Structure formats: structure tokens, C-alpha cells
């Protein structure tokens, strides 16, 4: 079979894995279509990449931030020129429909221009000193080499959320992309290289999590780790990094609720539920996986939601008219199947879908029917655990207060949505929902790059992408300049 062969990027050179191992990147809509062969790297490749990044840091940190930002700006232009090509590559490697992969590339473009602006900010503070003839200020300093570990569901947007702010702050990077989506990271970094990024400033190590991700977390020269992925792996990453007191930014799973009150615009709530539940085949950290319906509208909502879900067209995301692409791989199909079985055993009712699609045009891919489970109660596993597939649970409630309580009764806290025309309830929900993001009259998905992105509880550990990323990728230095020409002792010489 002929397909392109890709290599790791280390110190500006494209190199195979030292151990010689490779892995295939397959199209989930047609597993006979090999997108490419990529290195399956190990600790020795990571060590080389970290050493190259460390060397590059010595000069990159001294490049003025506005100049670093110019490279991001040029990369943004290159991405916009290649938007359709890169989106097609992305649909081929992970399945979501073309309109959505175009959006994924657009997010990286938006991030490039947003973060490029930071090159002329990166503000610190000046403040009075308590002593005479002494000047006090704080400045942001880069951390050094940062390790970035990313998932497959937003394979260009998420690497851009990490790489661009890390770079503008003066750090050098080693990125380990998800094994299912190496090509989109390759494309993103290609744009950076052509935009003028010096060798060694960004290094890519392709490979499996335990083989290539874990050594990156543990490497003593890696000063910080930014991880997006599952809460299970995030917990491992945090524990390993803690042994070296390494800062870690964790963005993890979700079990996001859309609440629909009796007074809501029902058609709008239905549009939101379909898009939030089945967009990206339900494989978004912010996907709507629980819909909480007030009893007055529940029956009407359910019958319309089921009817519209059954009309969704499932297929290859590159084909016109397809609403829902494949799941990314066979393991994700197994997870969807497993959770439908668990839900039914616990008393939920299957209202639509529920099965893998395996016949005809679906035979070579990993497709799952858009699925709705009714009669779900808050204590069932399907109401509490992340599926990461096209599986939506419906729960019913009497009062607004009860809806907030159900929405908050889980371990995750990423995104929430409320549909209502009651402004008082909208603001009460904004205050009381335990989540990093709350939408009013809009679905749980649709974040914009210039706001903080992240969650609470088991979704995150307090850091944010977007607005807030600069805080993670810099450390503060406080600077005191004494121009009194004598020893001045703080807290002592000026004591009253
Ligand atoms: P995952 O946790 O399986 O993998 C994420 C990354 O971690 C991959 O690159 C993987 O190779 C790597 N990895 C795996 N084991 C590792 C180890 N032992 N040490 C170091 N790295 C390791 O997640 P996934 O399946 O790629 O993505 C889906 C998950 O990501 C979902 O839970 C989803 O909610 C979450 N996610 C969260 C956000 C967010 O911003 N909150 C965004 C997208 C996805």
C-alpha cells in the first residue's frame, strides 16, 4: 500500500523513532484508507526532543515578544490560506463533518491572531515601594521547555490553544499529539515553520500515551505540562508531575447538562440539543450529554427531539448532506455500546438508535446511531459518567431549583446551558451552576478563543486555556531597583 510516511520533528529535523516503531493513522469512515504512517516513539525520542527544545530556549527567550508574535500572525495567514486542505485532512483522520473541521482550523486561526496581540502586551505591574528612592515592578518570564499532550477531538484547535500562548511567552515546546490524529498537529506545526519559527522551538514526538506521553511528563528538563484528555489519564499525569513539583494544567472530561424550562423557546432548545448532543458525533468535552426537561414541556420536547434525531444522516464527514460522522475508533464504539447496555439495565428506555452501524457503506468504518435514552434518573451511571459518543440522556424535573441540583450532582463541571425567557432564573443559574462555562439560550458547545476555557471539579485543576493561558506559561519575577545608594531594609528601616 502506498501512503505518506511522517517523522518526528526534533531540532528542526524530521527523524524516525529511534526504536524504528511506527503506527498507522486510519480513516474512521473507511479503515482501508491509510492517512499515513507515523513514528511510535519512546523515551529516547522524547529525551532528544527535550534536549533540542532546551538548546533553542537559550535564544528564543531573547527574541522580543512582538517578533515572536509576528511568526504567529504569519502562521495564522498560512492556516487561513490552507483552511480547506487542512480541514479535509482532519475529517479523514478523525471523522467529524467538514463544516466542523473547517471550524476547528478556524479556531487555530483565531487563536493565532488573538495570541499574536499578546506579543505587545504580556503586561506586568509597577507599584510604589515602601522605601524612598526604590522602584518596584513585576515582569513575566517564560518557564523554559514545556510539554504539551493533546486529545484527538479538536486536533488542531487544542494544540493551537497550547502552542501559541506558550510560544509568545518565550517558551520552547515538545508536543505529543493524540495517536489518532497526528496529521493535524503536523499541519499546524508546518504552518509555524513556514512562518519562520526557528529550529528546535517546537518539537513533535508522535506516539502512544504511556510510551511517549509519560516520559515527557517525567523528564526533569520539562518545566511544565499542559494536558487535555480524560480525567483518568489527567490524574496519572498530575501525580507523576507532582513528584517533581512540576506545574500542570489539566483540561478533562465533562457530562454537560442542557436545562429546558417550561417557558423556553422550544424550537431553539431543540436546535441546541441536536447540535450540542450530536455535533462532533457527541465527542466533545462540552457535548450535551444530559438534557434536563421541565415536566410541562417534556413530552412535547421528547417526541420532537426523537423525530429530528432519527432524521440525522450518519456517514463519511467529507460527503455532502452528512450530519454525523463516525466515532474516532473501535474502542469508542465499544464505550458507546457499553453505556447503552448499562443504562438499559438500570431502567432507562431506548428512544432512538442504540447500536453500531455495520452494514453496507458503514461496514468499513466505526459508526454509531445517534442515540437517545429516556426515563434516566440522576443516580444512574449514564447520568453521571462521560460516554464521549452520540448518546444523549433525558431527565425530567419539577422545579428550577431541582434542575440546578441535578445539574450539579456530578463529579464534572465543564459546560452547562439553560433555555428560558426568565431573566431572573437565567442570572440565578449563571451564579449557581457549578461549571466553567454557562450558556443562556445557546447549546453547551461553542466556546470562543478569547474567553477563559476550562472547568471545575474533576474537569480541571484551576487553570484555563484562552484568556488565562498566559498566566500558565509565564512565571512572575519581582524586581526592585534601589537608587538611594545606601542599604535600605524593608520592614525594618521604615517601621513606625
Ligand atoms: P486520553 O486521556 O485517552 O488521551 C489524551 C492524551 O493523553 C493523548 O495524547 C494520549 O496519548 C495521552 N496519554 C495517554 N496515556 C498517557 C499517559 N500515561 N501519560 C501521558 N500521556 C498519556 O483522551 P482522548 O481519548 O484523547 O480524548 C478524550 C477525552 O479528552 C475526553 O475525556 C474529553 O472530555 C477530554 N477533552 C477535554 C477537553 C477540555 O478542554 N476539557 C477538550 C477535549 C477533550
Amino acid at each position: 500500500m502506498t501512503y505518506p510516511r511522517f517523522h518526528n520533528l526534533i531540532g528542526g529535523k524530521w527523524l524516525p523513532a529511534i526504536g524504528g516503531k511506527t503506527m498507522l493513522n486510519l480513516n474512521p469512515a473507511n479503515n482501508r484508507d491509510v492517512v499515513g504512517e507515523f513514528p511510535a516513539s519512546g523515551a529516547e525520542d522524547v529525551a532528544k526532543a527535550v534536549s533540542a527544545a532546551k538548546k533553542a530556549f537559550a535564544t528564543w527567550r531573547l527574541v522580543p515578544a512582538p517578533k515572536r508574535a509576528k511568526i504567529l500572525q504569519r502562521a495564522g495567514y498560512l492556516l487561513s490560506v490552507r483552511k480547506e486542505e487542512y480541514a479535509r485532512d482532519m475529517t479523514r483522520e478523525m471523522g467529524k463533518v467538514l463544516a466542523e473541521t473547517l471550524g476547528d482550523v478556524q479556531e487555530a486561526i483565531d487563536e493565532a491572531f488573538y495570541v499574536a496581540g499578546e506579543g505587545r502586551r504580556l503586561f506586568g505591574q509597577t507599584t510604589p515601594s515602601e522605601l524612598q528612592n526604590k522602584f518596584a515592578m513585576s515582569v513575566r518570564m517564560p518557564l523554559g521547555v514545556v510539554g504539551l499532550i493533546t486529545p484527538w477531538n479538536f486536533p488542531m484547535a487544542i494544540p493551537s490553544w497550547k502552542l501559541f500562548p506558550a510560544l509568545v511567552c518565550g517558551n520552547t515546546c515538545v508536543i505529543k499529539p493524540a495517536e489518532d490524529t497526528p496529521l493535524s498537529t503536523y499541519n499546524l506545526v508546518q504552518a509555524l515553520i513556514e512562518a519562520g519559527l526557528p529550529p528546535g522551538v517546537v518539537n513533535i514526538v508522535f506516539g502512544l500515551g504511556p510510551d511517549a506521553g509519560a516520559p515527557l511528563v517525567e523528564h526533569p528538563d520539562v518545566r511544565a505540562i499542559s494536558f487535555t484528555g480524560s480525567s483518568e489519564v489527567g490524574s496519572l499525569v498530575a501525580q507523576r508531575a507532582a513528584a517533581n513539583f512540576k506545574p500542570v494544567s489539566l483540561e478533562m472530561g465533562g457530562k454537560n447538562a442542557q436545562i429546558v424550562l417550561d417557558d423556553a423557546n422550544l424550537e431553539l432548545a431543540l436546535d441546541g440539543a441536536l447540535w450540542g448532543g450530536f455535533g462532533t458525533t457527541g465527542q466533545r468535552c462540552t457535548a450535551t450529554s444530559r438534557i434536563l426537561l421541565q415536566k410541562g414541556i417534556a413530552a412535547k420536547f421528547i417526541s420532537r427531539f426523537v423525530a429530528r434525531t432519527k432524521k440525522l444522516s450518519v456517514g463519511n464527514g467529507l460527503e455532502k448532506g452528512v450530519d454525523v460522522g463516525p466515532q474516532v475508533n473501535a474502542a469508542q464504539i465499544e464505550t458507546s455500546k457499553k453505556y447503552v447496555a448499562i443504562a438499559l439495565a438500570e431502567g432507562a428506555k431506548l428512544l432512538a438508535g442504540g447500536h453500531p452501524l455495520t452494514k453496507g457503506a458503514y461496514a468499513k468504518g466505526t459508526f454509531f446511531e445517534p442515540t437517545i435514552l429516556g426515563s434516566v434518573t440522576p443516580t444512574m451511571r449514564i447520568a453521571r459518567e462521560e460516554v464521549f459518543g452520540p448518546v444523549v440522556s433525558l431527565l425530567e424535573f419539577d422545579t428550577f431549583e431541582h434542575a440546578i441540583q441535578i445539574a450539579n450532582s456530578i463529579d464534572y463541571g465543564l459546560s452547562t446551558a439553560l433555555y428560558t425567557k426568565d431573566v431572573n432564573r437565567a442570572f440565578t443559574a449563571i451564579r449557581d451552576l457549578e461549571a466553567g462555562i454557562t450558556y443562556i439560550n445557546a447549546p453547551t458547545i461553542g466556546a470562543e478563543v478569547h474567553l477563559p476555557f476550562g472547568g471545575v471539579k474533576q474537569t480541571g485543576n484551576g487553570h484555563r486555556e484562552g484568556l488565562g493561558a498566559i498566566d500558565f506559561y509565564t512565571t512572575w519575577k519581582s524586581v526592585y531597583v534601589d537608587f538611594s545608594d545606601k542599604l535600605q531594609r524593608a520592614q525594618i528601616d521604615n517601621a513606625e
Side-chain angles (χ1 to χ4, degrees):
M1 230 186 286
T2 55
Y3 40 76
R5 290 180 165 79
F6 296 86
H7 290 139
N8 290 327
L9 177 63
I10 297 180
K13 297 199 175 82
W14 297 99
L15 302 171
I18 292 168
K21 285 198 210 152
T22 57
M23 56 189 191
L24 291 181
N25 180 12
L26 302 178
N27 179 345
N30 172 8
N31 55 33
R32 314 284 153 85
D33 176 25
V34 181
V35 177
E37 183 190 85
F38 287 83
S41 311
E44 59 281 25
D45 303 294
V46 171
K48 268 187 98 164
V50 172
S51 149
K54 194 175 171 187
K55 191 166 161 230
F57 180 64
T59 45
W60 181 247
R61 74 187 182 92
L62 302 178
V63 174
K67 279 202 163 176
R68 299 194 292 249
K70 277 243 161 75
I71 297 177
L72 297 185
Q73 222 168 26
R74 282 198 291 271
Y77 283 120
L78 287 171
L79 290 171
S80 54
V81 171
R82 296 175 191 165
K83 184 172 165 183
E84 168 121 16
E85 176 196 338
Y86 286 174
R88 287 184 175 277
D89 280 349
M90 194 187 297
T91 296
R92 219 178 128 211
E93 74 171 346
M94 61 74 69
K96 64 186 174 186
V97 299
L98 188 59
E100 292 191 45
T101 50
L102 286 166
D104 198 309
V105 181
Q106 184 59 47
E107 204 163 321
I109 297 166
D110 295 344
E111 179 75 6
F113 294 132
Y114 167 59
V115 172
E118 251 342 295
R120 290 191 182 272
R121 286 189 291 267
L122 290 180
F123 296 133
Q125 301 106 9
T126 56
T127 182
S129 164
E130 67 184 46
L131 294 159
Q132 235 181 30
N133 297 327
K134 198 169 178 187
F135 189 91
M137 63 188 160
S138 66
V139 289
R140 289 181 183 274
M141 308 293 284
L143 303 175
V145 180
V146 297
L148 314 174
I149 300 177
T150 51
W152 46 263
N153 65 334
F154 277 83
M156 188 172 284
I158 292 178
S160 82
W161 296 354
K162 298 185 189 303
L163 281 171
F164 295 170
L167 292 173
V168 85
C169 292
N171 302 286
T172 56
C173 307
V174 177
I175 183 165
K176 205 300 284 171
E179 42 273 41
D180 282 305
T181 52
L183 182 56
S184 294
T185 297
Y186 171 89
N187 285 342
L188 180 70
V189 173
Q190 193 64 46
L192 279 168
I193 294 170
E194 287 175 44
L197 197 76
V201 173
V202 170
N203 304 271
I204 318 176
V205 180
F206 296 106
L208 305 178
D211 301 341
L216 186 58
V217 175
E218 278 162 13
H219 198 294
D221 287 337
V222 174
R223 292 295 167 83
I225 291 286
S226 179
F227 168 88
T228 300
S230 60
S231 299
E232 293 74 31
V233 176
S235 167
L236 277 178
V237 166
Q239 290 176 52
R240 286 195 165 136
N244 294 315
F245 310 108
K246 206 174 276 192
V248 185
S249 166
L250 300 171
E251 298 296 342
M252 300 170 291
K255 188 75 197 173
N256 312 291
Q258 171 177 322
I259 302 170
V260 188
L261 299 186
D262 282 345
D263 72 343
N265 175 338
L266 211 61
E267 282 308 312
L268 185 67
L270 280 160
D271 288 344
L274 274 178
W275 175 229
F278 301 119
T280 320
T281 320
Q283 303 171 125
R284 287 198 192 206
C285 50
T286 51
T288 309
S289 53
R290 299 181 291 160
I291 301 181
L292 278 48
L293 300 165
Q294 198 160 19
K295 288 206 167 126
I297 48 87
K300 206 167 170 188
F301 183 98
I302 292 170
S303 71
R304 291 194 200 172
F305 186 50
V306 169
R308 286 184 63 179
T309 298
K310 286 183 174 168
K311 282 195 198 131
L312 290 173
S313 156
V314 180
N316 183 334
L318 286 174
E319 283 168 18
K320 282 218 165 69
V322 168
D323 301 305
V324 180
Q327 287 211 255
V328 75
N329 58 34
Q332 292 298 128
I333 294 283
E334 287 309 311
T335 307
S336 296
K337 258 167 69 177
K338 180 182 92 178
Y339 271 103
V340 170
I342 291 170
L344 297 181
E346 286 190 334
K349 297 215 162 47
L350 190 59
L351 303 181
H355 310 97
L357 289 157
T358 54
K359 301 212 169 85
Y362 298 121
K364 293 179 197 153
T366 41
F367 294 95
F368 202 86
E369 293 173 321
T371 297
I372 304 174
L373 293 158
S375 307
V376 172
T377 59
T379 54
M380 290 181 186
R381 283 182 65 191
I382 193 68
R384 316 185 65 77
E385 296 174 22
E386 186 181 48
V387 179
F388 224 55
V391 179
V392 174
S393 297
L394 305 181
L395 296 87
E396 294 180 32
F397 64 87
D398 283 311
T399 63
F400 169 69
E401 291 70 24
H402 189 207
I404 299 284
Q405 195 194 328
I406 298 171
N408 288 346
S409 68
I410 50 156
D411 292 332
Y412 295 111
L414 184 50
S415 185
T416 43
L418 174 72
Y419 282 78
T420 184
K421 289 183 184 144
D422 182 335
V423 69
N424 294 351
R425 287 195 164 136
F427 275 90
T428 306
I430 292 167
R431 186 192 62 197
D432 292 345
L433 284 169
E434 296 170 356
I437 308 169
T438 293
Y439 293 90
I440 302 297
N441 293 322
T444 60
I445 66 179
E448 300 174 29
V449 298
H450 56 296
L451 278 84
F453 184 90
V456 299
K457 301 200 269 187
Q458 289 194 12
T459 295
N461 64 343
H463 297 287
R464 290 292 184 268
E465 314 262 24
L467 182 66
I470 295 296
D471 292 328
F472 182 72
Y473 293 108
T474 53
T475 187
W476 286 113
K477 175 170 284 191
S478 299
V479 181
Y480 302 92
V481 181
D482 192 319
F483 54 100
S484 68
D485 221 20
K486 61 179 188 204
L487 173 68
Q488 298 200 85
R489 297 172 303 174
Q491 295 93 37
I492 296 172
D493 291 346
N494 58 342
E496 289 183 3

